[in-house]
Amino acid sequence: QAKREGRDRVSMFSVEQMRDLEDRLVMGNQLRNAIRHDELELHYQPQYRAADRRLTGFEALLRWNSRQLGRVPPARFIPIAEALGLMPEIGEWVLDAACRQLRAWLDRGHRGFTVAVNVSAQQLQRHGLVAQVGAALQRHDVPPAMLDIEITESSFMENVWRVQRTLAELKALGIRLSLDDFGTGYSSLAYLKQFPIDKLKIDQAFVRALPVNTADASIVRTIIAVAHELHMHVAAEGVETAAQVDFLAAAGCDELQGNHLGPALPVLQAGERFDDGHA
Ligand code: C2E
Ligand code: MG
Ligand code: MG
Ligand code: MG
């Protein structure tokens, strides 16, 4: 009896695993053609200065509208793209699209803003990223200081020396570097002095329960203090309430991003955010 149950359980688990594998295969096959089928799109989430609520720029966030699967969130398809080795090509598309949009906004007369692009650990570990970034900037005649590249702590897990060199080369191009999801990875304060980071982005996990949760309030104040001591800017992600805005501004956080101030928007709606420039 026990043996039967055991076998049934094994076979049920396998069916689930098979489905998951099948999903990933289907998704992978669709993903291979996503660029060619024009299914990728960038949305832009506004970022605001906390002190005066002025628009400072946007974070480009990848969207996949698959003709077969519908909208698939990046948290689902990016790991698959990485596993299949599609990320260099998709990442290059993202860089190109973001720089093209930056140029379009410049051509419309907008000034003094940045566009942030996410770069995964795997993209950073591979050769060629620096050349890709440099080429995209040149192709669209974009001032490097207007481009911000967001990396995560997981990028530092392997080949630290190579990552260090890549980041130094990116900085030499004149772009900005932000450390995304700060506090959730294998955070080590040692990284902060080893890498040329301009901005820390406090992960939304620490923002969510503000201002009520006193532990999170302490953590956030401490991150802000450390960042400022090291001459880095600090931004908060996932700001969802007016009370969070007030807390973060009072705590000295430099920039705010989140649904309360504005979600990731399609290009046209994002562009409207320039109009009054205030949150
Ligand atoms: P991330 O870079 O930390 O981006 C922030 C995520 O939080 C975005 O999710 C954004 O839509 C969401 N968000 C913004 N404000 C709020 C809020 O107030 N509340 C909540 N609950 N969420 C908020 P999204 O767009 O689904 O992206 C998820 C992750 O996928 C990103 O996290 C990033 O790690 C990755 N990603 C997105 N686009 C790209 C890309 O072009 N390249 C790479 N390599 N990764 C990307
Ligand atoms: Mg990001
Ligand atoms: Mg983040
Ligand atoms: Mg995140």
Side-chain angles (χ1 to χ4, degrees), residues 30-58:
Q30 297 303 308
L31 206 46
R32 278 179 219 285
N33 297 316
I35 293 179
R36 200 158 49 80
H37 290 165
D38 202 21
E39 294 174 346
L40 297 182
E41 187 187 354
L42 291 181
H43 281 193
Y44 293 87
Q45 185 171 33
Q47 302 173 317
Y48 292 92
R49 191 156 52 212
D52 55 6
R53 317 279 155 88
R54 296 287 301 181
L55 183 78
T56 58
F58 299 92

PDB file of all heavy atoms in Angstrom, residues 30-58:
ATOM      1  N   GLN A  30       8.541  30.467 -28.210  1.00  0.00           N
ATOM      2  CA  GLN A  30       7.916  31.757 -28.547  1.00  0.00           C
ATOM      3  C   GLN A  30       8.901  32.904 -28.352  1.00  0.00           C
ATOM      4  O   GLN A  30       8.935  33.843 -29.130  1.00  0.00           O
ATOM      5  CB  GLN A  30       6.679  31.978 -27.675  1.00  0.00           C
ATOM      6  CG  GLN A  30       5.580  30.964 -27.889  1.00  0.00           C
ATOM      7  CD  GLN A  30       5.124  30.901 -29.327  1.00  0.00           C
ATOM      8  OE1 GLN A  30       4.802  31.928 -29.911  1.00  0.00           O
ATOM      9  NE2 GLN A  30       5.123  29.713 -29.906  1.00  0.00           N
ATOM     10  N   LEU A  31       9.672  32.768 -27.270  1.00  0.00           N
ATOM     11  CA  LEU A  31      10.610  33.834 -26.911  1.00  0.00           C
ATOM     12  C   LEU A  31      11.693  34.012 -27.976  1.00  0.00           C
ATOM     13  O   LEU A  31      12.145  35.125 -28.241  1.00  0.00           O
ATOM     14  CB  LEU A  31      11.231  33.484 -25.554  1.00  0.00           C
ATOM     15  CG  LEU A  31      11.751  34.596 -24.655  1.00  0.00           C
ATOM     16  CD1 LEU A  31      10.770  35.759 -24.557  1.00  0.00           C
ATOM     17  CD2 LEU A  31      12.017  34.017 -23.261  1.00  0.00           C
ATOM     18  N   ARG A  32      12.088  32.871 -28.582  1.00  0.00           N
ATOM     19  CA  ARG A  32      13.108  32.952 -29.626  1.00  0.00           C
ATOM     20  C   ARG A  32      12.701  33.891 -30.754  1.00  0.00           C
ATOM     21  O   ARG A  32      13.533  34.504 -31.401  1.00  0.00           O
ATOM     22  CB  ARG A  32      13.364  31.560 -30.240  1.00  0.00           C
ATOM     23  CG  ARG A  32      14.291  30.703 -29.449  1.00  0.00           C
ATOM     24  CD  ARG A  32      14.446  29.354 -30.133  1.00  0.00           C
ATOM     25  NE  ARG A  32      14.500  28.272 -29.167  1.00  0.00           N
ATOM     26  CZ  ARG A  32      15.557  28.014 -28.419  1.00  0.00           C
ATOM     27  NH1 ARG A  32      16.648  28.726 -28.559  1.00  0.00           N
ATOM     28  NH2 ARG A  32      15.532  27.046 -27.534  1.00  0.00           N
ATOM     29  N   ASN A  33      11.384  33.957 -31.008  1.00  0.00           N
ATOM     30  CA  ASN A  33      10.900  34.772 -32.123  1.00  0.00           C
ATOM     31  C   ASN A  33      10.328  36.114 -31.679  1.00  0.00           C
ATOM     32  O   ASN A  33       9.811  36.868 -32.496  1.00  0.00           O
ATOM     33  CB  ASN A  33       9.816  34.006 -32.888  1.00  0.00           C
ATOM     34  CG  ASN A  33      10.370  32.736 -33.494  1.00  0.00           C
ATOM     35  OD1 ASN A  33      11.451  32.752 -34.060  1.00  0.00           O
ATOM     36  ND2 ASN A  33       9.647  31.640 -33.342  1.00  0.00           N
ATOM     37  N   ALA A  34      10.412  36.387 -30.381  1.00  0.00           N
ATOM     38  CA  ALA A  34       9.737  37.581 -29.854  1.00  0.00           C
ATOM     39  C   ALA A  34      10.248  38.871 -30.491  1.00  0.00           C
ATOM     40  O   ALA A  34       9.454  39.767 -30.806  1.00  0.00           O
ATOM     41  CB  ALA A  34       9.892  37.642 -28.339  1.00  0.00           C
ATOM     42  N   ILE A  35      11.550  38.961 -30.683  1.00  0.00           N
ATOM     43  CA  ILE A  35      12.106  40.188 -31.273  1.00  0.00           C
ATOM     44  C   ILE A  35      11.658  40.310 -32.726  1.00  0.00           C
ATOM     45  O   ILE A  35      11.146  41.345 -33.148  1.00  0.00           O
ATOM     46  CB  ILE A  35      13.644  40.202 -31.185  1.00  0.00           C
ATOM     47  CG1 ILE A  35      14.075  40.305 -29.715  1.00  0.00           C
ATOM     48  CG2 ILE A  35      14.217  41.369 -31.991  1.00  0.00           C
ATOM     49  CD1 ILE A  35      15.579  40.299 -29.500  1.00  0.00           C
ATOM     50  N   ARG A  36      11.815  39.195 -33.465  1.00  0.00           N
ATOM     51  CA  ARG A  36      11.454  39.199 -34.886  1.00  0.00           C
ATOM     52  C   ARG A  36       9.967  39.502 -35.080  1.00  0.00           C
ATOM     53  O   ARG A  36       9.572  40.176 -36.013  1.00  0.00           O
ATOM     54  CB  ARG A  36      11.803  37.827 -35.483  1.00  0.00           C
ATOM     55  CG  ARG A  36      11.955  37.785 -36.973  1.00  0.00           C
ATOM     56  CD  ARG A  36      12.805  36.577 -37.400  1.00  0.00           C
ATOM     57  NE  ARG A  36      12.373  35.325 -36.791  1.00  0.00           N
ATOM     58  CZ  ARG A  36      11.340  34.600 -37.230  1.00  0.00           C
ATOM     59  NH1 ARG A  36      10.646  35.000 -38.262  1.00  0.00           N
ATOM     60  NH2 ARG A  36      11.031  33.465 -36.634  1.00  0.00           N
ATOM     61  N   HIS A  37       9.138  39.001 -34.171  1.00  0.00           N
ATOM     62  CA  HIS A  37       7.697  39.232 -34.272  1.00  0.00           C
ATOM     63  C   HIS A  37       7.255  40.555 -33.639  1.00  0.00           C
ATOM     64  O   HIS A  37       6.060  40.815 -33.518  1.00  0.00           O
ATOM     65  CB  HIS A  37       6.921  38.065 -33.623  1.00  0.00           C
ATOM     66  CG  HIS A  37       7.012  36.794 -34.402  1.00  0.00           C
ATOM     67  ND1 HIS A  37       6.663  35.576 -33.877  1.00  0.00           N
ATOM     68  CD2 HIS A  37       7.422  36.557 -35.671  1.00  0.00           C
ATOM     69  CE1 HIS A  37       6.852  34.629 -34.787  1.00  0.00           C
ATOM     70  NE2 HIS A  37       7.319  35.207 -35.880  1.00  0.00           N
ATOM     71  N   ASP A  38       8.232  41.322 -33.193  1.00  0.00           N
ATOM     72  CA  ASP A  38       7.935  42.650 -32.652  1.00  0.00           C
ATOM     73  C   ASP A  38       7.023  42.572 -31.426  1.00  0.00           C
ATOM     74  O   ASP A  38       6.104  43.381 -31.269  1.00  0.00           O
ATOM     75  CB  ASP A  38       7.271  43.500 -33.767  1.00  0.00           C
ATOM     76  CG  ASP A  38       7.424  44.985 -33.491  1.00  0.00           C
ATOM     77  OD1 ASP A  38       8.334  45.353 -32.727  1.00  0.00           O
ATOM     78  OD2 ASP A  38       6.604  45.759 -34.022  1.00  0.00           O
ATOM     79  N   GLU A  39       7.272  41.582 -30.572  1.00  0.00           N
ATOM     80  CA  GLU A  39       6.413  41.379 -29.401  1.00  0.00           C
ATOM     81  C   GLU A  39       6.957  42.026 -28.125  1.00  0.00           C
ATOM     82  O   GLU A  39       6.301  42.014 -27.101  1.00  0.00           O
ATOM     83  CB  GLU A  39       6.221  39.874 -29.153  1.00  0.00           C
ATOM     84  CG  GLU A  39       5.441  39.181 -30.261  1.00  0.00           C
ATOM     85  CD  GLU A  39       5.378  37.674 -30.088  1.00  0.00           C
ATOM     86  OE1 GLU A  39       6.159  37.123 -29.270  1.00  0.00           O
ATOM     87  OE2 GLU A  39       4.560  37.027 -30.764  1.00  0.00           O
ATOM     88  N   LEU A  40       8.178  42.545 -28.188  1.00  0.00           N
ATOM     89  CA  LEU A  40       8.766  43.163 -26.999  1.00  0.00           C
ATOM     90  C   LEU A  40       8.494  44.664 -27.000  1.00  0.00           C
ATOM     91  O   LEU A  40       8.402  45.296 -28.054  1.00  0.00           O
ATOM     92  CB  LEU A  40      10.282  42.919 -26.949  1.00  0.00           C
ATOM     93  CG  LEU A  40      10.746  41.471 -26.829  1.00  0.00           C
ATOM     94  CD1 LEU A  40      12.270  41.411 -26.731  1.00  0.00           C
ATOM     95  CD2 LEU A  40      10.111  40.787 -25.624  1.00  0.00           C
ATOM     96  N   GLU A  41       8.370  45.204 -25.803  1.00  0.00           N
ATOM     97  CA  GLU A  41       8.072  46.620 -25.655  1.00  0.00           C
ATOM     98  C   GLU A  41       8.665  47.092 -24.332  1.00  0.00           C
ATOM     99  O   GLU A  41       8.723  46.323 -23.373  1.00  0.00           O
ATOM    100  CB  GLU A  41       6.537  46.769 -25.623  1.00  0.00           C
ATOM    101  CG  GLU A  41       6.029  48.184 -25.645  1.00  0.00           C
ATOM    102  CD  GLU A  41       4.507  48.236 -25.447  1.00  0.00           C
ATOM    103  OE1 GLU A  41       3.860  47.158 -25.401  1.00  0.00           O
ATOM    104  OE2 GLU A  41       3.993  49.349 -25.317  1.00  0.00           O
ATOM    105  N   LEU A  42       9.099  48.337 -24.277  1.00  0.00           N
ATOM    106  CA  LEU A  42       9.536  48.883 -22.999  1.00  0.00           C
ATOM    107  C   LEU A  42       8.451  49.790 -22.443  1.00  0.00           C
ATOM    108  O   LEU A  42       7.875  50.600 -23.170  1.00  0.00           O
ATOM    109  CB  LEU A  42      10.838  49.684 -23.154  1.00  0.00           C
ATOM    110  CG  LEU A  42      12.090  48.874 -23.477  1.00  0.00           C
ATOM    111  CD1 LEU A  42      13.315  49.795 -23.579  1.00  0.00           C
ATOM    112  CD2 LEU A  42      12.337  47.800 -22.430  1.00  0.00           C
ATOM    113  N   HIS A  43       8.166  49.621 -21.170  1.00  0.00           N
ATOM    114  CA  HIS A  43       7.345  50.582 -20.456  1.00  0.00           C
ATOM    115  C   HIS A  43       8.284  51.395 -19.579  1.00  0.00           C
ATOM    116  O   HIS A  43       9.391  50.954 -19.277  1.00  0.00           O
ATOM    117  CB  HIS A  43       6.269  49.885 -19.623  1.00  0.00           C
ATOM    118  CG  HIS A  43       5.097  49.443 -20.450  1.00  0.00           C
ATOM    119  ND1 HIS A  43       3.900  49.037 -19.909  1.00  0.00           N
ATOM    120  CD2 HIS A  43       4.945  49.353 -21.791  1.00  0.00           C
ATOM    121  CE1 HIS A  43       3.058  48.728 -20.875  1.00  0.00           C
ATOM    122  NE2 HIS A  43       3.669  48.894 -22.031  1.00  0.00           N
ATOM    123  N   TYR A  44       7.829  52.579 -19.190  1.00  0.00           N
ATOM    124  CA  TYR A  44       8.713  53.492 -18.469  1.00  0.00           C
ATOM    125  C   TYR A  44       8.061  53.946 -17.173  1.00  0.00           C
ATOM    126  O   TYR A  44       6.974  54.530 -17.193  1.00  0.00           O
ATOM    127  CB  TYR A  44       9.043  54.708 -19.349  1.00  0.00           C
ATOM    128  CG  TYR A  44       9.881  54.323 -20.553  1.00  0.00           C
ATOM    129  CD1 TYR A  44       9.280  53.889 -21.735  1.00  0.00           C
ATOM    130  CD2 TYR A  44      11.269  54.343 -20.481  1.00  0.00           C
ATOM    131  CE1 TYR A  44      10.050  53.508 -22.826  1.00  0.00           C
ATOM    132  CE2 TYR A  44      12.050  53.964 -21.565  1.00  0.00           C
ATOM    133  CZ  TYR A  44      11.427  53.548 -22.735  1.00  0.00           C
ATOM    134  OH  TYR A  44      12.194  53.163 -23.811  1.00  0.00           O
ATOM    135  N   GLN A  45       8.735  53.651 -16.060  1.00  0.00           N
ATOM    136  CA  GLN A  45       8.206  54.082 -14.762  1.00  0.00           C
ATOM    137  C   GLN A  45       8.920  55.357 -14.311  1.00  0.00           C
ATOM    138  O   GLN A  45      10.151  55.399 -14.246  1.00  0.00           O
ATOM    139  CB  GLN A  45       8.386  52.990 -13.700  1.00  0.00           C
ATOM    140  CG  GLN A  45       7.730  53.399 -12.369  1.00  0.00           C
ATOM    141  CD  GLN A  45       7.673  52.285 -11.352  1.00  0.00           C
ATOM    142  OE1 GLN A  45       8.559  51.436 -11.289  1.00  0.00           O
ATOM    143  NE2 GLN A  45       6.629  52.284 -10.535  1.00  0.00           N
ATOM    144  N   PRO A  46       8.139  56.414 -14.009  1.00  0.00           N
ATOM    145  CA  PRO A  46       8.764  57.686 -13.617  1.00  0.00           C
ATOM    146  C   PRO A  46       9.462  57.596 -12.260  1.00  0.00           C
ATOM    147  O   PRO A  46       9.037  56.849 -11.375  1.00  0.00           O
ATOM    148  CB  PRO A  46       7.585  58.663 -13.565  1.00  0.00           C
ATOM    149  CG  PRO A  46       6.373  57.820 -13.365  1.00  0.00           C
ATOM    150  CD  PRO A  46       6.668  56.503 -14.040  1.00  0.00           C
ATOM    151  N   GLN A  47      10.513  58.386 -12.143  1.00  0.00           N
ATOM    152  CA  GLN A  47      11.268  58.485 -10.888  1.00  0.00           C
ATOM    153  C   GLN A  47      11.277  59.960 -10.494  1.00  0.00           C
ATOM    154  O   GLN A  47      11.468  60.826 -11.357  1.00  0.00           O
ATOM    155  CB  GLN A  47      12.710  57.986 -11.100  1.00  0.00           C
ATOM    156  CG  GLN A  47      12.763  56.544 -11.593  1.00  0.00           C
ATOM    157  CD  GLN A  47      14.172  56.086 -11.959  1.00  0.00           C
ATOM    158  OE1 GLN A  47      14.936  56.815 -12.586  1.00  0.00           O
ATOM    159  NE2 GLN A  47      14.518  54.871 -11.583  1.00  0.00           N
ATOM    160  N   TYR A  48      11.071  60.225  -9.217  1.00  0.00           N
ATOM    161  CA  TYR A  48      10.958  61.611  -8.760  1.00  0.00           C
ATOM    162  C   TYR A  48      11.945  61.915  -7.653  1.00  0.00           C
ATOM    163  O   TYR A  48      12.274  61.054  -6.833  1.00  0.00           O
ATOM    164  CB  TYR A  48       9.535  61.877  -8.254  1.00  0.00           C
ATOM    165  CG  TYR A  48       8.511  61.848  -9.352  1.00  0.00           C
ATOM    166  CD1 TYR A  48       7.834  60.666  -9.667  1.00  0.00           C
ATOM    167  CD2 TYR A  48       8.236  62.987 -10.093  1.00  0.00           C
ATOM    168  CE1 TYR A  48       6.902  60.637 -10.704  1.00  0.00           C
ATOM    169  CE2 TYR A  48       7.306  62.967 -11.129  1.00  0.00           C
ATOM    170  CZ  TYR A  48       6.646  61.794 -11.421  1.00  0.00           C
ATOM    171  OH  TYR A  48       5.729  61.755 -12.443  1.00  0.00           O
ATOM    172  N   ARG A  49      12.407  63.180  -7.638  1.00  0.00           N
ATOM    173  CA  ARG A  49      13.241  63.628  -6.532  1.00  0.00           C
ATOM    174  C   ARG A  49      12.342  63.818  -5.325  1.00  0.00           C
ATOM    175  O   ARG A  49      11.264  64.429  -5.434  1.00  0.00           O
ATOM    176  CB  ARG A  49      13.919  64.945  -6.923  1.00  0.00           C
ATOM    177  CG  ARG A  49      15.017  65.384  -5.972  1.00  0.00           C
ATOM    178  CD  ARG A  49      16.007  66.304  -6.655  1.00  0.00           C
ATOM    179  NE  ARG A  49      15.309  67.411  -7.306  1.00  0.00           N
ATOM    180  CZ  ARG A  49      15.725  67.997  -8.420  1.00  0.00           C
ATOM    181  NH1 ARG A  49      16.831  67.594  -9.016  1.00  0.00           N
ATOM    182  NH2 ARG A  49      15.054  68.998  -8.943  1.00  0.00           N
ATOM    183  N   ALA A  50      12.781  63.302  -4.170  1.00  0.00           N
ATOM    184  CA  ALA A  50      11.924  63.332  -2.981  1.00  0.00           C
ATOM    185  C   ALA A  50      11.727  64.755  -2.468  1.00  0.00           C
ATOM    186  O   ALA A  50      10.630  65.118  -2.044  1.00  0.00           O
ATOM    187  CB  ALA A  50      12.520  62.454  -1.885  1.00  0.00           C
ATOM    188  N   ALA A  51      12.789  65.560  -2.521  1.00  0.00           N
ATOM    189  CA  ALA A  51      12.752  66.885  -1.898  1.00  0.00           C
ATOM    190  C   ALA A  51      11.673  67.782  -2.499  1.00  0.00           C
ATOM    191  O   ALA A  51      10.970  68.480  -1.772  1.00  0.00           O
ATOM    192  CB  ALA A  51      14.123  67.556  -2.008  1.00  0.00           C
ATOM    193  N   ASP A  52      11.541  67.774  -3.842  1.00  0.00           N
ATOM    194  CA  ASP A  52      10.596  68.703  -4.477  1.00  0.00           C
ATOM    195  C   ASP A  52       9.638  68.008  -5.443  1.00  0.00           C
ATOM    196  O   ASP A  52       8.884  68.662  -6.157  1.00  0.00           O
ATOM    197  CB  ASP A  52      11.355  69.823  -5.198  1.00  0.00           C
ATOM    198  CG  ASP A  52      12.356  69.272  -6.207  1.00  0.00           C
ATOM    199  OD1 ASP A  52      12.364  68.032  -6.423  1.00  0.00           O
ATOM    200  OD2 ASP A  52      13.122  70.064  -6.782  1.00  0.00           O
ATOM    201  N   ARG A  53       9.691  66.658  -5.454  1.00  0.00           N
ATOM    202  CA  ARG A  53       8.805  65.849  -6.316  1.00  0.00           C
ATOM    203  C   ARG A  53       8.965  66.177  -7.805  1.00  0.00           C
ATOM    204  O   ARG A  53       8.021  66.044  -8.567  1.00  0.00           O
ATOM    205  CB  ARG A  53       7.316  66.015  -5.917  1.00  0.00           C
ATOM    206  CG  ARG A  53       7.044  65.993  -4.433  1.00  0.00           C
ATOM    207  CD  ARG A  53       6.999  64.579  -3.878  1.00  0.00           C
ATOM    208  NE  ARG A  53       7.318  64.583  -2.447  1.00  0.00           N
ATOM    209  CZ  ARG A  53       6.427  64.741  -1.475  1.00  0.00           C
ATOM    210  NH1 ARG A  53       5.152  64.847  -1.754  1.00  0.00           N
ATOM    211  NH2 ARG A  53       6.808  64.766  -0.224  1.00  0.00           N
ATOM    212  N   ARG A  54      10.156  66.616  -8.197  1.00  0.00           N
ATOM    213  CA  ARG A  54      10.404  66.846  -9.624  1.00  0.00           C
ATOM    214  C   ARG A  54      10.770  65.524 -10.294  1.00  0.00           C
ATOM    215  O   ARG A  54      11.449  64.677  -9.709  1.00  0.00           O
ATOM    216  CB  ARG A  54      11.577  67.820  -9.842  1.00  0.00           C
ATOM    217  CG  ARG A  54      11.363  69.233  -9.332  1.00  0.00           C
ATOM    218  CD  ARG A  54      10.408  70.044 -10.162  1.00  0.00           C
ATOM    219  NE  ARG A  54      10.813  70.200 -11.557  1.00  0.00           N
ATOM    220  CZ  ARG A  54      10.097  70.898 -12.445  1.00  0.00           C
ATOM    221  NH1 ARG A  54       8.957  71.470 -12.078  1.00  0.00           N
ATOM    222  NH2 ARG A  54      10.511  71.016 -13.684  1.00  0.00           N
ATOM    223  N   LEU A  55      10.361  65.393 -11.555  1.00  0.00           N
ATOM    224  CA  LEU A  55      10.713  64.205 -12.342  1.00  0.00           C
ATOM    225  C   LEU A  55      12.230  64.174 -12.576  1.00  0.00           C
ATOM    226  O   LEU A  55      12.806  65.166 -13.011  1.00  0.00           O
ATOM    227  CB  LEU A  55       9.993  64.273 -13.693  1.00  0.00           C
ATOM    228  CG  LEU A  55      10.188  63.085 -14.636  1.00  0.00           C
ATOM    229  CD1 LEU A  55       9.327  61.914 -14.192  1.00  0.00           C
ATOM    230  CD2 LEU A  55       9.829  63.479 -16.067  1.00  0.00           C
ATOM    231  N   THR A  56      12.872  63.045 -12.244  1.00  0.00           N
ATOM    232  CA  THR A  56      14.309  62.931 -12.527  1.00  0.00           C
ATOM    233  C   THR A  56      14.575  61.994 -13.701  1.00  0.00           C
ATOM    234  O   THR A  56      15.645  62.036 -14.290  1.00  0.00           O
ATOM    235  CB  THR A  56      15.091  62.390 -11.303  1.00  0.00           C
ATOM    236  OG1 THR A  56      14.544  61.114 -10.945  1.00  0.00           O
ATOM    237  CG2 THR A  56      14.995  63.345 -10.118  1.00  0.00           C
ATOM    238  N   GLY A  57      13.621  61.128 -14.018  1.00  0.00           N
ATOM    239  CA  GLY A  57      13.833  60.217 -15.138  1.00  0.00           C
ATOM    240  C   GLY A  57      12.871  59.049 -15.092  1.00  0.00           C
ATOM    241  O   GLY A  57      11.824  59.114 -14.432  1.00  0.00           O
ATOM    242  N   PHE A  58      13.276  57.980 -15.779  1.00  0.00           N
ATOM    243  CA  PHE A  58      12.414  56.807 -15.916  1.00  0.00           C
ATOM    244  C   PHE A  58      13.239  55.533 -15.810  1.00  0.00           C
ATOM    245  O   PHE A  58      14.403  55.505 -16.214  1.00  0.00           O
ATOM    246  CB  PHE A  58      11.740  56.781 -17.296  1.00  0.00           C
ATOM    247  CG  PHE A  58      10.860  57.956 -17.572  1.00  0.00           C
ATOM    248  CD1 PHE A  58      11.377  59.081 -18.203  1.00  0.00           C
ATOM    249  CD2 PHE A  58       9.523  57.938 -17.200  1.00  0.00           C
ATOM    250  CE1 PHE A  58      10.562  60.176 -18.468  1.00  0.00           C
ATOM    251  CE2 PHE A  58       8.710  59.029 -17.462  1.00  0.00           C
ATOM    252  CZ  PHE A  58       9.233  60.150 -18.098  1.00  0.00           C
TER     253      PHE A  58
END
